[in-house]
Amino acid sequence: MWARLLDGARGVATSVRRFVRESTGEAAYDRYVAAHAGADHPPLTRAQWWRARDDARELLTHDRCC
């Protein structure tokens, strides 16, 4: 009985962790690193990647009235 409860608690904790990582963007950096695993250049550091991501988002914003 305790084993099932413990497994259930682990499942909930894993789901919560996954949700938090997705909502904060941490999982996106991990996907970036995995995608660049075979590249001939090293991936950006976490700080460089966040900076580049923020810069790209700023470029995509448009000032408009509506």
Side-chain angles (χ1 to χ4, degrees):
M1 180 176 146
W2 288 107
R4 285 194 320 180
L5 285 174
L6 193 57
D7 286 342
R10 280 190 196 117
V12 169
T14 299
S15 296
V16 168
R17 181 176 182 268
R18 185 178 302 132
F19 173 77
V20 169
R21 287 180 46 77
E22 287 292 336
S23 62
T24 61
E26 288 295 317
Y29 177 74
D30 293 340
R31 285 191 295 271
Y32 161 77
V33 170
H36 285 81
D40 58 345
H41 59 281
L44 298 174
T45 65
R46 189 175 298 273
Q48 292 169 331
W49 182 83
W50 278 103
R51 206 171 302 122
R53 182 181 179 195
D54 288 344
D55 290 345
R57 285 185 174 185
E58 285 181 16
L59 289 175
L60 292 176
T61 60
H62 300 287
D63 292 331
R64 59 183 179 190
C65 66
C66 308

